[in-house]
Amino acid sequence: MSVLAVDKLGKTFPGRRGQQPVVAARDISFLVEAGGSLGVVGESGSGKTTVARMLVGLTSPDQGKVMVEGRETSKPERGRAARLRRAREIQMVFQDPYTSLDRRLSVESCLRDVLNRHRPELAKAQAAAEIGNLLDQVGLASKLTASRPHELSGGQRQRVAIARALAVRPRVLVLDEAVSALDVSVQAKILTLLNELRAALGIALVFVSHDLAVVGEVTDRILVMYRGDDVEQNATAELLRRPRHPYTQMLLSSAPGPGWQPERVAELRAAFALTEGRS
Amino acid sequence: MSVLLEIEDLTLRVPAVEILRGISLQVATGETVGLVGESGSGKSSTARAALRLFPDEAQAGGRISVGGVDVLSAGDAAVQRIRAHDAAMIFQAPRTALNPVRRIGDSATERLVQVHGLDRKAARAKLLTLFEHVGLRDPESLLRKYPHQLSGGMLQRVVIAAALSIDPKLLLADEATSALDVTTQAEVLALLKRLRGERDLGVLFITHDLHLAAAYCDRVYVMREGLIVDHQPGATIFENPGNEYTRQLADAVPTLPAQDSTETGKVGSR
C-alpha cells in the first residue's frame, strides 16, 4: 500500500468580478511509496501550490481524495483530535523560513511545543534528547538551541522548519519551494539531507518547485502541471531525458544550461500554442 | 567597444564590516558581464556603488568611473546626471520598484517628466513605444493599470521599459529575472539580449544562478566575501572553473541531464 495516494483531486476557485472561475487543479492523481519522492513542477499559476495545500488540508478539494496509509485525510473533520491526527500524518515546509517560524520562540521551545502537543508520552528528559536527535538529523549544531529565528541564517531557519515538521514523525512531508530562496551551497546540503531522511525514516516526500534541476536531485517521479492539469507524469530520469509533452519540453528548454537559447522559448511557446489566454 | 563602467580596487566598509575588499571590474559597450556569488558576497553593493548608492555611514575607497566620470569624487549634480541619464538599474522585485497606489503610466514616466523635462504626452508616447518593444500587449490600457493588476513577468517588463526610457548606456540588472518563472525569464532575457544588440548597451548582470551566468554572459566575475575570486568567459565556468571556490559552486548547483538527442532534435525542428 502506498503511503500517500491521491485520487482525482480537483479545485476550482470562483473568478473575481465577473471573470471566469479558475480551475487550479483537475483530476490530479498520484501515488508515493514509503521513502519515495514525487516532484510537482510547473509555472506560477499552474496549480502546484494548490495541490500541496490540498494534501495538508489547508485548502479543501472540490473533488477527489487524499489517502495517507489507507485513511482518507481530505474529509472535513472537526475537532482537535482529528486535526492533531492529520498533522501527524502529513506535514508541510513552506518557502519562506523567515515567516513560517514564530519569531519569539527559540529553536528549542519551537521543537518542544511540537513534541508536547504531538508526542505527550515523552517525559521531559526524553523530549530533550529527542530535540537533540532532531537537530542532529537536520545538521544543526546543538549550540543553536537557544537561538531565535532572527539570529539564524536562512539555511539554518529552513533546517529548523524541517526539524519541526519531522518532530511529529509524519508519514508524508510536503515541501513547497522549500529551498528556492537559499544559496546553492545551502540548497545542496538540504537536498542531501532530504534524501537521507527519506531513506532512513521511510518518509514519503512531495517536493513542489519551479526548478527542474533541483527536483531532479530529490525525486524519483515527476508530475508536470499546466493550468491545473496533469500534462505528464513519469519517472524522474526518464522525464528529464525524454520529455513527451510539448509543455514539458518547453519547460526543460527554458532552464539555463549548456546550449541554452532564450529566444527558443518564445518560439516553442508560440509553436505549441500555449500562449492563448496568457497575457 | 569602449569601457562604460570601470571599477578599480573598490573598498567599502560600514562600521565593523568590510563589505568590499578591493574589487576591480570593467563593463564595455555591447557586452553582458556577469557577477555571481552567494548571499552577502557583495554583488549588489558593487552594482549600487556604480550609482554611489551606499549604505549610511559607509566609507568607500578606490575608483569608480561611469562613462568617464569619477563617481566617488564627483559632485552631487554629476552623480545625479549619471543616475538620470547614463545608467539604469533593474532590481529583483518589480513589485517593490513601482508605487503600488499609483497608476503604472504615472510611475513609469515620472523620471522622464521630472528629470528629463518631457511633457506628459511625450513621455507617455515614449513609454508606449517601449512597452511594445518589450513585448507588452495592449500598452494603452497598461498605463491606466495599477501594479497589483499585473503578473510578475509583465511588471518586470514594465520596469525594464521604464529603465530603458532614459536611453541609458549602462544597465545594472540585479537579480532582474530571479523572481520570474524559467519560461518568463527566458523571454525577458531574450528581449534584453536583443535590446543590448540594438542599443549597444553594456550590461552588468548580477545573478546567483551559475547556469544562467554561464549561458548568458560574455564574461563572468565570481565574488566571495567582498572579493573577486574568479574571472573568465561564461562559457568555460563549468568545464574549467578558475579556482576552488568556483568549482565548489559549480558542483553544488544541480544540473539537468542532457535530453535525448532525437527528442531534442524533434523539438528543435518542431
Side-chain angles (χ1 to χ4, degrees):
Chain A
M1 182 176 57
S2 302
V3 171
L4 177 65
V6 171
D7 186 33
K8 295 200 172 70
L9 219 47
K11 180 75 188 177
T12 302
F13 293 106
R16 266 180 301 184
R17 275 185 296 155
Q19 290 177 355
Q20 292 291 311
V22 176
V23 180
R26 187 188 288 119
D27 269 349
I28 301 297
S29 302
F30 55 83
L31 301 172
V32 189
E33 310 298 323
S37 172
L38 175 90
V40 183
V41 304
E43 293 172 277
S44 327
S46 62
K48 47 192 200 305
T49 292
T50 302
V51 169
R53 292 175 61 89
M54 286 194 285
L55 295 181
V56 297
L58 286 172
T59 297
S60 55
D62 299 336
Q63 280 116 34
K65 55 186 180 179
V66 178
M67 315 265 290
V68 176
E69 294 189 321
R71 197 185 80 83
E72 186 176 346
T73 59
S74 48
K75 266 193 298 225
E77 287 174 307
R78 301 185 84 98
R80 183 180 146 87
R83 280 205 309 276
L84 286 179
R85 181 167 60 182
R86 178 156 68 190
R88 277 195 287 277
E89 286 164 337
I90 192 158
Q91 277 285 312
M92 184 158 175
V93 177
F94 298 87
Q95 171 165 12
D96 190 352
Y98 298 76
T99 58
S100 69
L101 295 172
D102 187 330
R103 70 183 87 177
R104 295 164 303 179
L105 293 184
S106 69
V107 173
E108 187 182 12
S109 2
C110 161
L111 296 176
R112 192 180 298 280
D113 255 18
V114 176
L115 292 176
N116 285 345
R117 193 152 303 156
H118 289 282
R119 290 158 70 187
E121 72 280 4
L122 294 181
K124 216 170 173 186
Q126 286 173 310
E130 179 63 12
I131 290 172
N133 283 342
L134 287 164
L135 293 177
D136 203 37
Q137 259 171 5
V138 298
L140 273 179
S142 52
K143 66 169 190 245
L144 294 174
T145 46
S147 307
R148 283 163 216 270
H150 71 269
E151 296 165 306
L152 303 172
S153 71
Q156 287 170 334
R157 279 182 247 214
Q158 199 57 294
R159 283 159 195 256
V160 174
I162 294 173
R164 183 180 56 179
L166 292 176
V168 306
R169 294 195 168 160
R171 298 306 301 140
V172 180
L173 185 57
V174 180
L175 300 111
D176 188 5
E177 300 283 6
V179 299
S180 310
L182 306 175
D183 275 327
V184 285
S185 57
V186 182
Q187 191 178 68
K189 283 180 198 153
I190 290 191
L191 296 182
T192 308
L193 164 73
L194 290 173
N195 280 331
E196 285 166 8
L197 289 173
R198 64 189 177 102
L201 307 174
I203 293 177
L205 286 188
V206 177
F207 192 90
V208 178
S209 176
H210 68 281
D211 189 331
L212 284 152
V214 167
V215 170
E217 299 274 306
V218 282
T219 63
D220 33 48
R221 213 177 156 71
I222 294 180
L223 157 67
V224 182
M225 288 188 70
Y226 174 66
R227 288 210 213 156
D229 280 321
D230 167 354
V231 296
E232 181 166 1
Q233 210 182 116
N234 208 341
T236 297
E238 182 67 16
L239 184 132
L240 295 180
R241 283 215 173 75
R242 280 178 285 277
R244 287 191 305 247
H245 193 279
Y247 181 71
T248 315
Q249 292 169 353
M250 187 191 71
L251 265 190
L252 281 166
S253 67
S254 308
W260 176 72
Q261 291 170 296
E263 302 82 3
R264 268 271 304 284
V265 176
E267 282 171 32
L268 286 175
R269 200 198 275 283
F272 295 118
L274 291 163
T275 40
E276 26 98 34
R278 282 182 64 99
S279 54
Chain B
M1 283 214 318
S2 62
V3 177
L4 284 173
L5 168 67
E6 184 163 29
I7 295 179
E8 261 178 274
D9 202 24
L10 176 67
T11 57
L12 183 66
R13 57 179 307 136
V14 292
V17 186
E18 250 186 310
I19 301 175
L20 300 176
R21 302 187 289 155
I23 298 289
S24 298
L25 62 82
Q26 291 191 342
V27 180
T29 52
E31 68 169 348
T32 301
V33 176
L35 198 53
V36 303
E38 301 196 89
S39 324
S41 59
K43 314 184 288 287
S44 293
S45 298
T46 304
R48 296 172 69 97
L51 299 179
R52 208 160 86 189
L53 296 168
F54 295 132
D56 291 342
E57 299 177 43
Q59 285 188 308
R63 206 177 68 84
I64 304 169
S65 148
V66 175
V69 177
D70 187 331
V71 173
L72 291 183
S73 65
D76 286 350
V79 173
Q80 293 273 338
R81 224 198 112 69
I82 291 176
R83 292 180 191 159
H85 296 272
D86 300 329
M89 193 146 183
I90 305 168
F91 298 94
Q92 174 166 8
R95 251 170 241 290
T96 59
L98 292 169
N99 188 335
V101 297
R102 294 185 66 195
R103 294 179 195 276
I104 281 165
D106 294 335
S107 296
T109 54
E110 188 172 33
R111 196 156 40 163
L112 287 177
V113 174
Q114 303 288 333
V115 185
H116 287 234
L118 267 67
D119 65 45
R120 270 170 61 93
K121 221 172 141 187
R124 279 173 179 253
K126 185 165 192 188
L127 195 66
L128 281 179
T129 316
L130 283 163
F131 276 0
E132 279 167 24
H133 230 79
V134 299
L136 285 165
R137 272 180 275 163
D138 199 7
E140 283 279 358
S141 76
L142 271 184
L143 291 177
R144 291 189 302 276
K145 287 195 167 146
Y146 289 95
H148 74 268
Q149 293 174 290
L150 270 62
S151 70
M154 285 175 80
L155 268 188
Q156 196 60 293
R157 286 166 201 246
V158 168
V159 169
I160 291 173
L164 292 171
S165 70
I166 62 162
D167 299 317
K169 302 182 191 77
L170 176 68
L171 207 55
L172 304 162
D174 188 357
E175 304 276 9
T177 57
S178 308
L180 306 177
D181 279 322
V182 280
T183 46
T184 314
Q185 166 172 278
E187 287 179 355
V188 169
L189 290 181
L191 161 78
L192 262 186
K193 197 168 158 185
R194 198 187 81 217
L195 295 172
R196 186 197 66 184
E198 287 169 8
R199 298 170 169 234
D200 222 11
L201 282 172
V203 182
L204 183 65
F205 190 82
I206 297 179
T207 178
H208 66 282
D209 186 337
L210 210 56
H211 279 301
L212 180 56
Y216 192 66
C217 300
D218 302 311
R219 293 183 289 120
V220 176
Y221 294 93
V222 180
M223 284 191 74
R224 184 192 195 189
E225 292 169 5
L227 286 172
I228 285 174
V229 296
D230 198 4
H231 172 214
Q232 59 173 311
T236 58
I237 283 248
F238 278 92
E239 295 98 73
N240 188 23
N243 75 354
E244 182 56 23
Y245 178 66
T246 314
R247 200 184 60 72
Q248 282 173 14
L249 272 187
D251 286 348
V253 185
T255 304
L256 285 168
Q259 282 177 46
D260 213 48
S261 54
T262 53
E263 284 296 314
T264 317
K266 206 174 86 192
V267 175
S269 60
R270 294 194 292 277

Coordinates of all heavy atoms in Angstrom, one line a residue, chain B residues 180-220:
Chain B
L180 N 11.2 35.4 -11.6 CA 10.3 35.0 -12.6 C 10.4 33.5 -12.9 O 11.4 32.9 -12.6 CB 10.7 35.8 -13.9 CG 10.7 37.3 -13.8 CD1 11.2 37.9 -15.2 CD2 9.4 37.9 -13.4
D181 N 9.3 33.0 -13.5 CA 9.3 31.6 -14.0 C 10.5 31.4 -15.0 O 10.8 32.3 -15.7 CB 8.0 31.2 -14.7 CG 6.9 30.9 -13.7 OD1 7.2 30.2 -12.7 OD2 5.8 31.3 -14.0
V182 N 11.0 30.2 -15.1 CA 12.1 30.0 -16.1 C 11.6 30.4 -17.5 O 12.4 30.9 -18.3 CB 12.6 28.5 -16.1 CG1 13.6 28.4 -15.0 CG2 11.5 27.5 -16.1
T183 N 10.4 30.1 -17.8 CA 9.9 30.4 -19.2 C 9.9 31.9 -19.4 O 10.4 32.4 -20.4 CB 8.5 29.9 -19.4 OG1 7.7 30.2 -18.3 CG2 8.5 28.4 -19.6
T184 N 9.3 32.7 -18.4 CA 9.3 34.1 -18.5 C 10.7 34.7 -18.5 O 11.0 35.6 -19.2 CB 8.4 34.7 -17.3 OG1 7.2 33.9 -17.2 CG2 8.1 36.1 -17.6
Q185 N 11.5 34.1 -17.6 CA 12.9 34.6 -17.5 C 13.6 34.5 -18.9 O 14.2 35.4 -19.3 CB 13.7 33.7 -16.5 CG 15.2 33.8 -16.6 CD 15.9 33.1 -15.5 OE1 16.0 33.6 -14.4 NE2 16.4 31.9 -15.8
A186 N 13.4 33.4 -19.6 CA 14.0 33.2 -20.9 C 13.5 34.3 -21.8 O 14.2 34.8 -22.6 CB 13.7 31.8 -21.4
E187 N 12.2 34.5 -21.8 CA 11.6 35.6 -22.7 C 12.2 36.9 -22.4 O 12.5 37.7 -23.3 CB 10.1 35.6 -22.6 CG 9.5 34.3 -23.3 CD 8.0 34.3 -23.2 OE1 7.4 35.1 -22.6 OE2 7.4 33.3 -23.8
V188 N 12.2 37.3 -21.1 CA 12.7 38.6 -20.7 C 14.2 38.7 -21.1 O 14.7 39.8 -21.6 CB 12.5 38.9 -19.2 CG1 13.3 40.1 -18.8 CG2 11.0 39.0 -18.9
L189 N 15.0 37.7 -20.9 CA 16.4 37.7 -21.3 C 16.7 37.7 -22.8 O 17.6 38.4 -23.2 CB 17.1 36.5 -20.6 CG 17.2 36.7 -19.1 CD1 18.0 35.5 -18.5 CD2 17.9 38.0 -18.7
A190 N 15.8 37.1 -23.5 CA 15.9 37.1 -25.0 C 15.7 38.6 -25.4 O 16.4 39.1 -26.3 CB 14.9 36.2 -25.6
L191 N 14.7 39.2 -24.8 CA 14.5 40.6 -25.0 C 15.6 41.5 -24.7 O 16.1 42.4 -25.5 CB 13.2 41.0 -24.2 CG 13.0 42.5 -24.0 CD1 12.4 43.1 -25.2 CD2 12.1 42.7 -22.8
L192 N 16.2 41.3 -23.5 CA 17.4 42.1 -23.1 C 18.5 42.0 -24.0 O 19.3 42.9 -24.3 CB 17.8 41.8 -21.7 CG 17.3 42.6 -20.5 CD1 18.0 42.1 -19.2 CD2 17.6 44.1 -20.8
K193 N 18.7 40.7 -24.5 CA 19.8 40.4 -25.4 C 19.6 41.2 -26.7 O 20.5 41.8 -27.3 CB 19.8 38.9 -25.7 CG 21.1 38.4 -26.3 CD 21.0 36.9 -26.2 CE 21.9 36.2 -27.1 NZ 21.7 34.7 -27.1
R194 N 18.4 41.2 -27.2 CA 18.1 41.9 -28.4 C 18.3 43.4 -28.3 O 19.0 44.0 -29.1 CB 16.6 41.7 -28.8 CG 16.3 42.0 -30.3 CD 14.8 41.9 -30.6 NE 14.1 43.0 -30.1 CZ 12.9 43.1 -29.6 NH1 12.3 41.9 -29.4 NH2 12.3 44.2 -29.2
L195 N 17.8 44.0 -27.2 CA 18.0 45.4 -26.9 C 19.5 45.8 -26.8 O 19.9 46.8 -27.2 CB 17.2 45.8 -25.7 CG 15.7 45.7 -25.8 CD1 15.1 45.9 -24.4 CD2 15.1 46.6 -26.8
R196 N 20.2 44.9 -26.1 CA 21.6 45.1 -26.0 C 22.3 45.3 -27.3 O 23.1 46.2 -27.5 CB 22.3 44.0 -25.2 CG 23.7 44.2 -24.8 CD 24.4 42.9 -24.4 NE 24.5 42.1 -25.6 CZ 25.0 40.8 -25.5 NH1 25.3 40.3 -24.4 NH2 25.0 40.1 -26.6
G197 N 21.9 44.4 -28.2 CA 22.5 44.5 -29.6 C 22.0 45.7 -30.3 O 22.9 46.4 -30.9
E198 N 20.7 46.1 -30.2 CA 20.2 47.2 -30.9 C 20.8 48.5 -30.4 O 21.1 49.5 -31.1 CB 18.7 47.3 -30.8 CG 18.0 46.3 -31.6 CD 16.5 46.2 -31.2 OE1 16.0 47.1 -30.4 OE2 15.8 45.3 -31.7
R199 N 21.0 48.6 -29.1 CA 21.4 49.9 -28.5 C 22.9 49.9 -28.0 O 23.3 50.9 -27.4 CB 20.6 50.2 -27.3 CG 19.1 50.3 -27.6 CD 18.3 50.4 -26.4 NE 16.9 50.8 -26.7 CZ 16.3 51.8 -26.1 NH1 16.8 52.5 -25.2 NH2 15.1 52.1 -26.5
D200 N 23.6 48.8 -28.3 CA 25.0 48.7 -27.8 C 25.1 49.0 -26.3 O 26.1 49.6 -25.9 CB 25.8 49.7 -28.6 CG 27.2 49.1 -29.0 OD1 27.3 47.9 -28.9 OD2 28.0 49.9 -29.5
L201 N 24.2 48.4 -25.6 CA 24.2 48.6 -24.1 C 25.3 47.8 -23.5 O 25.7 46.7 -24.0 CB 22.9 48.1 -23.5 CG 21.6 48.9 -23.6 CD1 20.5 48.0 -23.1 CD2 21.8 50.1 -22.7
G202 N 25.9 48.3 -22.4 CA 26.7 47.5 -21.5 C 25.8 47.0 -20.4 O 25.0 47.8 -19.8
V203 N 25.9 45.7 -20.1 CA 25.0 45.2 -19.0 C 25.8 44.5 -17.9 O 26.7 43.7 -18.2 CB 24.0 44.2 -19.6 CG1 23.1 43.7 -18.5 CG2 23.2 44.7 -20.7
L204 N 25.7 45.0 -16.7 CA 26.2 44.2 -15.5 C 25.1 43.4 -15.0 O 24.1 43.9 -14.5 CB 26.8 45.2 -14.5 CG 27.4 44.5 -13.3 CD1 28.7 43.8 -13.7 CD2 27.8 45.5 -12.2
F205 N 25.3 42.1 -15.1 CA 24.2 41.1 -14.9 C 24.5 40.3 -13.6 O 25.3 39.4 -13.6 CB 24.1 40.2 -16.1 CG 22.9 39.3 -16.1 CD1 21.7 39.9 -16.5 CD2 22.9 38.0 -15.6 CE1 20.5 39.1 -16.5 CE2 21.8 37.3 -15.6 CZ 20.6 37.8 -16.0
I206 N 23.8 40.7 -12.5 CA 24.0 40.1 -11.2 C 23.1 38.9 -11.1 O 21.9 39.1 -11.2 CB 23.8 41.1 -10.1 CG1 24.8 42.2 -10.2 CG2 23.9 40.4 -8.7 CD1 24.7 43.2 -9.2
T207 N 23.6 37.8 -10.7 CA 22.7 36.6 -10.5 C 23.4 35.6 -9.5 O 24.6 35.6 -9.4 CB 22.4 35.9 -11.8 OG1 21.6 34.8 -11.5 CG2 23.6 35.4 -12.6
H208 N 22.6 34.9 -8.9 CA 23.1 33.8 -8.0 C 23.1 32.5 -8.8 O 23.6 31.5 -8.3 CB 22.3 33.7 -6.7 CG 20.9 33.2 -7.0 ND1 19.9 34.0 -7.5 CD2 20.4 31.9 -6.9 CE1 18.8 33.3 -7.7 NE2 19.1 32.0 -7.4
D209 N 22.6 32.5 -10.0 CA 22.4 31.3 -10.8 C 23.6 31.1 -11.8 O 23.7 31.8 -12.8 CB 21.1 31.5 -11.6 CG 20.7 30.2 -12.4 OD1 21.6 29.4 -12.7 OD2 19.5 30.0 -12.7
L210 N 24.4 30.2 -11.4 CA 25.6 29.9 -12.1 C 25.4 29.4 -13.6 O 26.0 29.8 -14.5 CB 26.5 28.9 -11.4 CG 28.0 29.0 -11.5 CD1 28.5 30.4 -11.1 CD2 28.7 28.0 -10.7
H211 N 24.3 28.6 -13.7 CA 24.0 28.1 -15.0 C 23.6 29.3 -15.9 O 24.0 29.3 -17.1 CB 22.8 27.1 -14.9 CG 23.2 25.8 -14.6 ND1 24.0 25.0 -15.3 CD2 22.8 25.0 -13.5 CE1 24.2 23.8 -14.7 NE2 23.5 23.8 -13.6
L212 N 22.8 30.2 -15.3 CA 22.3 31.3 -16.1 C 23.5 32.2 -16.5 O 23.6 32.6 -17.7 CB 21.3 32.1 -15.3 CG 20.7 33.4 -15.9 CD1 20.1 33.0 -17.3 CD2 19.7 34.0 -15.0
A213 N 24.4 32.5 -15.6 CA 25.6 33.3 -15.9 C 26.4 32.7 -17.0 O 26.8 33.4 -17.9 CB 26.4 33.6 -14.6
A214 N 26.6 31.4 -16.9 CA 27.4 30.7 -17.8 C 26.8 30.7 -19.2 O 27.5 30.9 -20.2 CB 27.6 29.2 -17.4
A215 N 25.5 30.6 -19.3 CA 24.8 30.6 -20.6 C 24.5 31.9 -21.2 O 24.4 32.1 -22.4 CB 23.5 29.8 -20.4
Y216 N 24.5 33.0 -20.4 CA 24.0 34.3 -20.8 C 25.1 35.3 -20.9 O 25.0 36.3 -21.7 CB 22.9 34.8 -19.9 CG 22.1 35.9 -20.4 CD1 21.3 35.8 -21.6 CD2 22.2 37.2 -19.8 CE1 20.6 36.9 -22.1 CE2 21.5 38.3 -20.3 CZ 20.7 38.1 -21.4 OH 20.0 39.2 -21.9
C217 N 26.2 35.2 -20.1 CA 27.1 36.3 -20.0 C 28.4 36.1 -20.9 O 28.9 34.9 -21.0 CB 27.5 36.5 -18.6 SG 26.1 37.0 -17.6
D218 N 28.9 37.2 -21.4 CA 30.2 37.1 -22.2 C 31.3 36.7 -21.2 O 32.2 35.9 -21.5 CB 30.5 38.4 -22.9 CG 29.3 38.8 -23.8 OD1 28.9 37.9 -24.6 OD2 28.8 39.9 -23.8
R219 N 31.4 37.5 -20.1 CA 32.4 37.2 -19.1 C 31.7 37.1 -17.8 O 30.6 37.7 -17.6 CB 33.4 38.4 -19.1 CG 34.3 38.5 -20.3 CD 35.3 39.6 -20.1 NE 34.7 41.0 -20.1 CZ 34.8 41.8 -19.1 NH1 35.5 41.5 -18.0 NH2 34.3 43.0 -19.2
V220 N 32.3 36.4 -16.8 CA 31.7 36.3 -15.5 C 32.8 36.5 -14.4 O 33.9 36.0 -14.5 CB 31.1 34.9 -15.3 CG1 30.6 34.7 -13.9 CG2 30.0 34.6 -16.3

